[in-house]
Amino acid sequence: AQSVTQLGSHVSVSEGALVLLRCNYSSSVPPYLFWYVQYPNQGLQLLLKYTSAATLVKGINGFEAEFKKSETSFHLTKPSAHMSDAAEYFCAVRGPSGGYNKLIFGAGTRLAVHP
Amino acid sequence: DTEVTQTPKHLVMGMTNKKSLKCEQHMGHRAMYWYKQKAKKPPELMFVYSYEKLSINESVPSRFSPECPNSSLLNLHLHALQPEDSALYLCASSQDLGASSYEQYFGPGTRLTVT
């Protein structure tokens, strides 16, 4: 069965600092991995996805993530945080579960950006 | 256009009311989803429609009744809800159900309060 673990329910960074949000997955088959962002009182927006084409994936808003099979990780990074990056971030894996391809979310990481 | 729209944005209903949530997408997607999201939690899958047929019901109580009138529309009919059903209800769509690589596009959600 597929699962996702996000390390750190809250992350706080200064504006301009590196953002690192951690995601580890478990999967018995090659996974398809996604990062979504949710701003307050809004739906989820896809930041980027990994589908085995390239291990370093670039997404929107300056975010990128690197797939590391040896570490079963798909951490999200951004070189320089903006105040507007403050939001909830969800890592998700999609794969066989219960007989069909289901999107399985991590618990989420709330990113705070302070001046 | 990668937009999924949902109406209404907010809904307050009593426990004896009947109401409906609506979702629409014009991306030609053939899979549509309903999720429930409680505060500070990831979305929980409720229903999945594929080619206008109900494919998955994640053991949702019968007071929630989904309907897919056509390939662009998805409704969620609500009746005799409980206060614990108060949550953000998210609709999503994807190109198809089968391939794991297909990302899901989310609407902005309906904030439901049951009094």
Side-chain angles (χ1 to χ4, degrees):
Chain A
Q2 320 273 356
S3 68
V4 170
T5 302
Q6 291 184 241
L7 297 173
S9 59
H10 289 82
V11 170
S12 181
V13 300
S14 299
E15 193 174 18
L18 172 71
V19 175
L20 171 61
L21 305 182
R22 299 176 188 275
C23 173
N24 288 88
Y25 69 90
S26 68
S27 174
S28 57
V29 298
Y32 294 96
L33 293 157
F34 306 84
W35 274 101
Y36 285 88
V37 61
Q38 185 174 32
Y39 298 101
N41 299 312
Q42 293 189 27
L44 277 69
Q45 180 181 13
L46 180 69
L47 278 175
L48 48 81
K49 69 175 183 179
Y50 168 75
T51 58
S52 77
T55 56
L56 184 62
V57 182
K58 293 190 184 301
I60 63 171
N61 302 340
F63 284 95
E64 63 181 36
E66 186 172 9
F67 175 74
K68 291 187 177 180
K69 185 177 179 181
S70 61
E71 298 177 10
T72 62
S73 69
F74 189 56
H75 300 334
L76 182 72
T77 60
K78 182 173 179 177
S80 177
H82 294 163
M83 299 294 289
S84 59
D85 294 326
E88 187 85 23
Y89 291 80
F90 293 100
C91 181
V93 63
R94 187 164 187 191
S97 177
Y100 75 104
N101 291 314
K102 183 175 176 177
L103 193 61
I104 299 160
F105 288 94
T109 297
R110 181 164 296 275
L111 175 67
V113 182
H114 51 86
Chain B
D1 182 10
T2 57
E3 190 179 26
V4 176
T5 59
Q6 289 187 244
T7 56
K9 283 193 73 171
H10 301 276
L11 179 63
V12 179
M13 60 185 291
M15 289 190 282
T16 58
N17 291 157
K18 284 185 182 181
K19 297 285 185 185
S20 297
L21 310 185
K22 297 186 184 303
C23 172
E24 191 167 6
Q25 57 89 12
H26 293 290
M27 295 177 277
H29 289 175
R30 303 319 298 261
M32 296 186 77
Y33 312 76
W34 279 116
Y35 287 86
K36 173 183 178 180
Q37 186 180 26
K38 301 286 275 185
K40 302 184 191 303
K41 297 289 187 184
E44 297 173 21
L45 184 65
M46 300 174 71
F47 303 103
V48 182
Y49 273 81
S50 177
Y51 289 85
E52 301 162 47
K53 287 190 167 59
L54 183 63
S55 291
I56 303 292
N57 176 341
E58 292 278 308
S59 303
V60 179
S62 59
R63 58 185 184 267
F64 295 91
S65 175
E67 178 197 20
C68 190
N70 61 55
S71 59
S72 300
L73 290 173
L74 186 65
N75 298 323
L76 186 63
H77 302 298
L78 313 172
H79 174 54
L81 294 193
Q82 303 297 310
E84 59 265 28
D85 296 321
S86 298
L88 182 67
Y89 287 83
L90 294 164
C91 174
S93 70
S94 67
Q95 188 170 341
D96 206 332
L97 194 58
S100 296
S101 62
Y102 291 145
E103 62 266 37
Q104 293 182 20
Y105 293 89
F106 285 80
T110 293
R111 175 74 61 188
L112 175 67
T113 303
V114 182
T115 60

